[in-house]
Amino acid sequence: MDIEVLQSRSRMVGVLREFFLSRGYLETDTPALAPSLIPESCLEVFATEYVHPTEEHRPLYLIPSPEIWMKKVVAETGRSVFQLCKAWRNAESVSRIHNPEFTMLEYYGVGLSCDDNICLTEELFAALAAQETPPRARPPFRVMSMSEAWWEFARADLDALAEPEAMRAACHERGLLVAPDATWEDAFNILFLSLVEPALPRDRPLVLDRYPAGIECLAADIPGTMYKERWELYVDGIEIANCFTEMANPEAVRKYFSSQSAKKRSALVPHRVDGSYASIFEHFPPCSGVALGFERLMTVLLGKKSIAEVLLFPFEAFSC
Amino acid sequence: MVRGGDIGIGTCLLINGTPHIVVEREFVSPGKGSAFARVRAKNLKNGNVITQTIKTADFVEDAQVDLVDCQYQYSDGELFHFMNNETFEQFEVPLAAHEDRAPYLKEGETYTIVMWEGEPIDIKIPYKMVFTVAESENYIRGDTVSGATKPVTTETGLVVRVPLFIKQGEKILINTETNEYVERVNE
């Protein structure tokens, strides 16, 4: 049991709380048990139920992220908000970057764009860095767009690969296995994960910017392009954070819900969907939010190799 | 066919018509994407290692292989010469594709050979093997901290670190995956 790590954790929590409070952010505290969630086909959740003494039981879900609740607070108050809380994701293989229960730091800045959030996140890293933080985890961040990375590391022109057939052909040309009926998104991920992601530079943190709109999510589109206002932060090859300029168009949000709900039909753990969610965007301020895996952040800032090293009781050590 | 999620180290995949053995595997879930198995696989014809990413729910072609016990005889610098322990048939394995196996091959020892379509494509090395120390420098006792080690070379040319008390001509047990010393073997 590494008590020093526990002390580092409390130091970091103290620093980040002061960091956001001093910038006028409101700290939120939202439920961990939710009656319904955002449909996200990329993840599985934990389901449980409320056992009512006399009436019907009610299904409840452990949140995979506090996103829904926090955006409701943003819509209601127009304030920037932050929260550090537990989140849960099911059916992921436990590894050096995955633990089924983890701590999520989310911060939503009203009036900010996802570019502004790059600067804010750099400042946060500077504030949290410790003596043992290696140069590869210290700011300034390197910023590279997804299309630059594709050209640099796979000699592929991402703009020319907008159609599923072209994306599958790009995989084939590079000797990569791809199913003849693979979707654009799957073929994109096959090429990205095989050739681009392993080659990303690791000498300092990397913001991989402008994700293709072909990967469905709740980020705003960049008009006239095939990209979204979305970035992912990689530190030492680990995905630490995801940022969007929030999609604030209720129609687009409804479309996302119906498309993801269809994909979610094959989910291992089905869940109820929050039907009222899209309506909060009828009066939503311009806003950009970041979701950051706090144990992953601790791992890289403390120069560790695995999140198990920063957890007092890692899942893999549980004996059932 | 094998499901992406069931691929592990040692799985033989048929990639663009050529057998490949998986040497590394990790599960990855890109942000907002589904789960994939990212594997590093060695081309068993030329030894090149490539990366492939397979959706855990998808199926890919695996190579149907046979495992045959064979005795290693010698190397002529270009080919490893083996003999099938059951049929006594002699055959060769090209050294170029399996150069990394050379330091683990002891003349007269039995190895499992992976055969695909009648051709030898891989030599499996036992997890632990006994080697003889062929070369070892003498270290002066007493001037080092406890737990100190020194490099030695085995009769097959493998360099491993062993405790200082190990002498030339002694037998040692080695973990062939990590090249770590396990223990001294007294015969």
Side-chain angles (χ1 to χ4, degrees):
Chain A
M1 192 174 285
D2 191 343
I3 296 306
E4 267 180 40
V5 162
L6 196 60
Q7 287 165 337
S8 298
R9 183 185 176 104
S10 37
R11 181 189 63 79
M12 286 186 193
V13 170
V15 170
L16 78 85
R17 189 162 271 140
E18 183 51 37
F19 179 90
F20 286 108
L21 291 176
S22 69
R23 283 165 176 76
Y25 281 63
L26 179 70
E27 181 171 12
T28 52
D29 176 30
T30 61
L33 278 175
S36 55
L37 303 168
I38 299 174
E40 288 184 282
S41 59
C42 60
L43 55 85
E44 295 284 352
V45 299
F46 285 89
T48 182
E49 61 179 4
Y50 170 62
V51 180
H52 193 282
T54 54
E55 292 166 20
E56 250 190 275
H57 300 179
R58 285 168 54 189
L60 287 168
Y61 312 97
L62 285 171
I63 52 161
S65 141
E67 174 176 358
I68 289 193
W69 303 115
M70 292 179 74
K71 286 185 190 169
K72 285 181 176 172
V73 179
V74 171
E76 182 78 25
T77 64
R79 298 264 313 255
S80 296
V81 296
F82 80 100
Q83 180 162 317
L84 187 71
C85 65
K86 292 289 181 198
W88 295 264
R89 296 199 181 173
N90 211 341
E92 279 173 343
S93 67
V94 178
S95 70
R96 78 187 179 94
I97 54 167
H98 285 120
N99 200 67
E101 174 174 281
F102 62 101
T103 312
M104 187 80 111
L105 169 65
E106 296 204 5
Y107 44 101
Y108 293 82
V110 170
L112 299 193
S113 67
C114 73
D115 284 345
D116 298 326
N117 261 329
I118 295 177
C119 301
L120 186 71
T121 306
E122 273 184 321
E123 285 170 28
L124 179 65
F125 266 60
L128 292 175
Q131 210 172 5
E132 57 267 53
T133 304
R136 62 176 186 273
R138 287 179 185 269
F141 297 167
R142 172 183 276 116
V143 182
M144 195 176 218
S145 74
M146 188 58 107
S147 74
E148 281 167 350
W150 274 56
W151 182 250
E152 181 81 20
F153 304 115
R155 282 285 171 254
D157 178 3
L158 190 52
D159 287 331
L161 303 177
E163 297 301 321
E165 213 179 310
M167 188 55 86
R168 290 192 295 260
C171 290
H172 265 301
E173 286 161 18
R174 289 162 181 79
L176 297 173
L177 295 174
V178 61
D181 58 348
T183 61
W184 183 90
E185 186 180 341
D186 285 344
F188 168 90
N189 276 321
I190 285 170
L191 202 155
F192 174 67
L193 294 172
S194 300
L195 302 177
V196 182
E197 198 199 58
L200 295 175
R202 296 184 178 197
D203 55 336
R204 53 196 171 99
L206 173 81
V207 171
L208 195 57
D209 198 9
R210 294 166 67 100
Y211 267 62
I215 302 170
E216 267 189 324
C217 64
L218 291 165
D221 291 320
I222 304 175
T225 73
M226 58 179 272
Y227 300 102
K228 281 185 175 283
E229 289 197 38
R230 170 184 170 201
W231 53 256
E232 292 260 359
L233 174 65
Y234 280 87
V235 185
D236 200 18
I238 303 175
E239 260 177 72
I240 300 282
N242 175 68
C243 173
F244 299 162
T245 298
E246 300 299 332
M247 181 191 271
N249 170 349
E251 265 327 293
V253 174
R254 280 189 194 101
K255 213 174 119 202
Y256 169 87
F257 265 56
S258 84
S259 159
Q260 286 288 309
S261 297
K263 290 182 189 167
K264 199 78 196 180
R265 275 187 207 120
S266 55
L268 301 173
V269 186
H271 62 77
R272 292 193 178 179
V273 164
D274 186 342
S276 68
Y277 180 72
S279 64
I280 67 175
F281 294 101
E282 274 150 24
H283 304 285
F284 199 77
C287 172
S288 167
V290 178
L292 181 151
F294 189 65
E295 283 84 8
R296 291 185 183 184
L297 176 69
M298 285 181 64
T299 304
V300 299
L301 288 180
L302 298 177
K304 306 282 185 193
K305 287 275 161 242
S306 159
I307 59 169
E309 292 177 71
V310 303
L311 291 165
L312 270 198
F313 301 101
F315 186 80
E316 55 191 3
F318 289 4
S319 51
C320 299
Chain B
M1 300 293 269
V2 58
R3 204 179 65 97
D6 294 332
I7 295 173
I9 291 173
T11 303
C12 277
L13 301 175
L14 204 55
I15 299 172
N16 304 321
T18 307
H20 287 67
I21 187 161
V22 173
V23 291
E24 282 172 44
R25 192 243 21 225
E26 62 171 337
F27 289 114
V28 283
S29 306
K32 311 291 167 197
S34 9
F36 292 83
R38 178 159 59 193
V39 304
R40 302 269 295 152
K42 188 173 96 168
N43 181 321
L44 291 170
K45 289 273 169 86
N46 63 18
N48 288 348
V49 177
I50 56 163
T51 302
Q52 292 283 351
T53 306
I54 298 145
K55 215 174 160 180
T56 54
D58 280 357
F59 285 83
V60 288
E61 215 177 338
D62 55 344
Q64 299 297 319
V65 295
D66 295 316
L67 303 176
V68 186
D69 283 345
C70 301
Q71 191 191 64
Y72 173 64
Q73 301 193 301
Y74 64 96
S75 154
D76 62 14
E78 282 182 17
L79 300 167
F80 295 125
H81 292 255
F82 280 91
M83 181 185 70
N84 185 319
N85 282 3
E86 271 188 33
T87 64
F88 307 119
E89 184 197 344
Q90 313 233 344
F91 62 92
E92 296 83 42
V93 180
L95 207 142
H98 305 285
E99 222 163 351
D100 55 336
R101 301 289 198 252
Y104 303 99
L105 296 181
K106 287 165 62 180
E107 292 180 9
E109 191 89 4
T110 293
Y111 295 87
T112 302
I113 301 287
V114 182
M115 307 288 274
W116 176 69
E117 295 191 337
E119 261 189 73
I121 54 168
D122 195 25
I123 307 162
K124 285 195 181 285
I125 303 297
Y127 173 56
K128 283 180 185 171
M129 284 183 70
V130 175
F131 293 97
T132 306
V133 177
E135 283 171 44
S136 165
E137 285 175 42
N138 282 325
Y139 281 72
I140 298 157
R141 195 190 291 259
D143 62 357
T144 48
V145 292
S146 68
T149 61
K150 61 177 179 180
V152 298
T153 308
T154 67
E155 80 275 32
T156 56
L158 185 69
V159 179
V160 290
R161 296 200 71 89
V162 301
L164 299 183
F165 60 77
I166 297 290
K167 296 187 204 71
Q168 192 162 326
E170 283 189 309
K171 291 195 171 9
I172 50 172
L173 187 66
I174 297 298
N175 175 331
T176 59
E177 281 182 10
T178 60
N179 285 346
E180 277 166 6
Y181 165 87
V182 182
E183 60 185 13
R184 178 163 59 181
V185 181
N186 296 313
E187 283 182 340

